[in-house]
Amino acid sequence: MNVLVVKIRNAIRFVRSSPSRLLAFKKCVEKLHIKCKKSLCLDVATRWNSTYLMLEAAEKFEKVFVRYVSYFLEVDSKGNKKNIGPPSLEDWENARTLLKFLKIFYMVTLKFSGLLHVTSNSFFNELIYMHTNLLQLCKSRDNLISGMVMNMMSKFEKYWGCGAN
């Protein structure tokens, strides 16, 4: 999944790196009649919720990325440039899968971090919601999602002391 996120992050960085690219991107959005008020945003690599927001916005513009962007370069720790991207159709499909997974945690995080209302009374319900969704996703036929969920489930059970179900 990391390579997938890097490809999409590079695509966004490429588009946003110059005003002329951003303008060309916006013109392509208009030509394809994409009605989306979101704008492309980069994530903060250490904040998974910002990665969710980045992927969610980028996914709306998939057709534009596939049509518009031709290459991306990633610089490794030695200063060498290597081609990472553009995101393939399979990458976009995997991004949609990852979005479904991350959305569960994003929504629960929003409910837990409410500033204008008490959140302690909803904690147990949200915890059960998360656990139930993880259990269902463990049974997924998609190896990508089931692998992520199994890893998450072991951490969840370790932290919350749940028995195996």
Side-chain angles (χ1 to χ4, degrees):
M1 279 301 179
N2 189 42
V3 172
L4 159 73
V5 173
V6 168
K7 285 181 179 183
I8 293 174
R9 185 181 297 130
N10 284 347
I12 295 168
R13 190 175 288 134
F14 177 78
V15 169
R16 290 179 45 145
S17 66
S18 87
S20 61
R21 287 183 192 155
L22 189 56
L23 182 61
F25 186 85
K26 288 179 180 180
K27 285 180 181 179
C28 196
V29 168
E30 288 175 17
K31 279 183 185 177
L32 294 174
H33 306 290
I34 296 174
K35 305 282 188 224
C36 182
K37 294 184 181 188
K38 292 188 178 213
S39 60
L40 296 175
C41 60
L42 285 169
D43 66 337
V44 177
T46 57
R47 305 260 179 181
W48 67 264
N49 56 344
S50 71
T51 301
Y52 169 78
L53 293 171
M54 177 187 73
L55 292 174
E56 182 187 38
E59 193 261 340
K60 306 282 188 230
F61 300 107
E62 173 187 355
K63 291 178 183 176
V64 181
F65 280 113
V66 169
R67 188 172 194 178
Y68 171 74
V69 186
S70 60
Y71 69 92
F72 309 95
L73 294 175
E74 178 77 6
V75 179
D76 65 16
S77 59
K78 297 176 185 175
N80 300 321
K81 293 182 179 180
K82 58 182 179 177
N83 190 353
I84 302 284
S88 67
L89 294 176
E90 182 182 354
D91 290 329
W92 287 110
E93 191 60 39
N94 289 337
R96 280 187 282 283
T97 301
L98 181 59
L99 276 168
K100 288 177 192 173
F101 177 72
L102 291 177
K103 186 175 184 174
I104 297 166
F105 299 98
Y106 180 75
M107 298 307 289
V108 169
T109 301
L110 286 180
K111 290 180 181 178
F112 283 165
S113 57
L115 298 175
L116 302 176
H117 60 278
V118 177
T119 60
S120 59
N121 60 339
S122 64
F123 180 79
F124 183 72
N125 290 334
E126 297 305 321
L127 189 66
I128 296 302
Y129 169 79
M130 221 175 4
H131 188 254
T132 302
N133 277 288
L134 287 173
L135 285 173
Q136 288 175 347
L137 290 170
C138 281
K139 299 171 187 171
S140 173
R141 291 184 179 165
D142 184 337
N143 292 335
L144 188 65
I145 196 94
S146 63
M148 283 189 309
V149 174
M150 293 297 269
N151 187 22
M152 179 63 77
M153 194 63 171
S154 67
K155 292 176 183 178
F156 185 96
E157 290 176 350
K158 180 181 177 185
Y159 186 80
W160 292 103
C162 301
N165 292 331

